[in-house]
Amino acid sequence: MTAPSRRERLRAATIAEIKQAARRRLVDHGPAAISLRAIAREMGMTAPALYRYFPSLEALVTELVADLLDEMTDSMEAARDAEPEGDIRARLYAVTRAFREWAITHRPEFTLIFANPLPSLGHPNTRRDPRQPDCLAGTRYGDVFARLFVELWQRRPFPVPSREELPPGLLAQLDRYRELTGTPLPTGALYVFLSCWVRLYGMVALEVFGHLHFALDEIEPMFEAEVARLARRLHLDPPATIR
Amino acid sequence: MTAPSRRERLRAATIAEIKQAARRRLVDHGPAAISLRAIAREMGMTAPALYRYFPSLEALVTELVADLLDEMTDSMEAARDAEPEGDIRARLYAVTRAFREWAITHRPEFTLIFANPLPSLGHPNTRRDPRQPDCLAGTRYGDVFARLFVELWQRRPFPVPSREELPPGLLAQLDRYRELTGTPLPTGALYVFLSCWVRLYGMVALEVFGHLHFALDEIEPMFEAEVARLARRLHLDPPATIR
DNA sequence: ATCCATAGTTAACGCCTGTAACTTAAGTAA
DNA sequence: TTACTTAAGTTACAGGCGTTAACTATGGAT
């Protein structure tokens, strides 16, 4: 646990600068512009030097994705913590809106994270290694939603499907997930959680990918309407303030 | 309207073969493997020859996307037409399931269509030209859903939010969309349509992109549960057979 | 003062898109 | 049939890419 040496500090700074340059290229020139040569050029270096810091372009992108997920999670947590601790309703709204806000103000980054858009990520839809940093970061942002959801359930339980109402195949999987995570939520609430996540993701992804522009050009009112419907489903209105 | 000349036939066949090779590379080796040289190699040609048929790689990919959308639409229409004409419930179920079925049996293609994953598509989230073939094809598959939805509404109207219940900003946009398309649906039903589309898309996209594997490994039961909930929302159960 | 790991370099291989200039073959008109 | 035109293909090349190998300079530790 000694203080980092001068070498280590310089190295960390260089790594940060590389990822910064990569992100700048992503934002300014699209995902295809993330290239070692271009990054090195921006930094006044040559491309092979970057191999001292990352074993490959793909590894660099993977770390960048993890950083972006962390940043998104941070902004969601900040929005949550700006609301009083007892006001779960306000906190859920805040986190939900922060998710969309980050997505639409960071479209290239969101696309990189959620739609495997980079050639260097190789053939999509191959099983990922859960020990990879981007997968770990992936669980973090999910937990922000999950923890609030659990809190809401414990303080103001809402109606959820009974075990009998869930199809057996789904019930078994959700039970397994329940054991795996040790969540206090009943299985039916897990289903509701996933269902809400599907709608939130669908809404934001469709907006970012531009697949709602055939009908709407300003998506926010539709988003707010959907969030309000989600809130009603969770019996979140009227305000669920406690204490 | 004369019969196509020999030249024209050969040319069309070559174009088809190029797109076929491009798709084979997409499926077998991922989106990054769609390169003019690789395609030309597979066809026993040289890369510059392909410029006789497409002005650029990007144009080729755009046409491929349009073809894939058409194929997806065809399979949805086939599933629809396999059900009796009067049984709207069965037809809606069939189209919905066909959408998912095509997506999960054609994951690379679905990803290419719905998540801008290709470098050659350039910077994502720039406004597309609606005259582009892929945008035209995009409206076709939406119409499959839309027409059934209208038919259902006309024969078995379901509850929809009143104009007063919709936030003004959303109402105005939906009214404009209503005029633009001349649909017989009331504005509230348009909202329900979009809302259903969001949930269906969210479910399928999350499955294809692998963002549900943190909880589930077999997604079909969850999909069926969500579809059942959508059906209930449309008062689709019990069976809405007519005639 | 010496040694060595680290961070950088240049050179090269084999991909890639895209353009220019050239050849060949087919279709068309005199 | 011959001559002209055009389409479809070729090679050559410019410039960008990831990655490896071999080499150099330099800062820190012994």
Side-chain angles (χ1 to χ4, degrees), chain A residues 152-205:
Chain A
L152 175 68
W153 166 261
Q154 289 176 327
R155 296 194 176 175
R156 290 195 146 217
F158 40 87
V160 300
S162 67
R163 298 181 61 83
E164 289 72 31
E165 285 174 280
L166 292 171
L170 181 55
L171 186 71
Q173 288 188 80
L174 291 176
D175 278 342
R176 189 150 40 81
Y177 180 56
R178 216 168 84 85
E179 273 189 49
L180 204 90
T181 57
T183 177
L185 294 177
T187 310
L190 272 186
Y191 167 73
V192 174
F193 177 70
L194 288 182
S195 177
C196 290
W197 166 233
V198 165
R199 290 170 68 170
L200 178 57
Y201 169 83
M203 195 64 217
V204 171

Side-chain angles (χ1 to χ4, degrees), chain B residues 133-164:
Chain B
D134 59 332
C135 281
L136 288 179
T139 66
R140 233 196 98 205
Y141 88 85
D143 278 356
V144 179
F145 285 117
R147 282 204 305 270
L148 279 178
F149 199 84
V150 168
E151 203 181 328
L152 175 68
W153 167 260
Q154 290 177 327
R155 295 195 178 176
R156 290 194 145 218
F158 41 86
V160 300
S162 67
R163 296 181 63 84
E164 290 72 31

